[in-house]
Amino acid sequence: MLIVVVLLVGAALTALILQARSYATSDAEHRTRAVAITLAQAPTVAAALDSADPTAVLQPLAVDVQKSGGFDYVVIFGTNGIRYASTDHPELIGQHVYGSYRGP
């Protein structure tokens, strides 16, 4: 009987850990998407993208968003896939982003 109880408690703990991990991942995805949508619709970003030097405005903005939001990094790129700001690899500014960059 003790073995069954220990197995049930172990299974319950495993389920709780997996559920917490799933929630944390889902929460991070929703938070990231919300910030991305808000940033994309900001008048400052739209004006910067139409300017002669978008990086001059967008790089400091990306750094501010990263620090205030507690994000690991922030990358801002246009609909053409060209990076205009990057807090993790600034040397990639002006290059095309890798992978899928179109929203759902």
Side-chain angles (χ1 to χ4, degrees), residues 44-71:
T44 304
V45 173
L49 290 172
D50 289 335
S51 72
D53 186 10
T55 300
V57 174
L58 296 177
Q59 183 66 14
L61 178 63
V63 171
D64 288 344
V65 169
Q66 177 188 15
K67 288 179 182 177
S68 64
F71 296 101

Side-chain angles (χ1 to χ4, degrees), residues 2-91:
L2 181 60
I3 293 174
V4 171
V5 170
V6 170
L7 288 174
L8 287 174
V9 169
L13 285 174
T14 301
L16 286 173
I17 290 169
L18 291 175
Q19 184 179 16
R21 183 176 180 196
S22 174
Y23 174 76
T25 301
S26 177
D27 183 53
E29 288 174 2
H30 289 124
R31 185 173 165 227
T32 301
R33 183 175 298 278
V35 170
I37 290 169
T38 302
L39 192 58
Q41 295 175 352
T44 304
V45 173
L49 290 172
D50 289 335
S51 72
D53 186 10
T55 300
V57 174
L58 296 177
Q59 183 66 14
L61 178 63
V63 171
D64 288 344
V65 169
Q66 177 188 15
K67 288 179 182 177
S68 64
F71 296 101
D72 292 335
Y73 61 91
V74 173
V75 176
I76 301 174
F77 53 90
T79 56
N80 58 0
I82 301 299
R83 290 175 202 255
Y84 295 113
S86 179
T87 60
D88 63 336
H89 293 289
E91 69 275 8

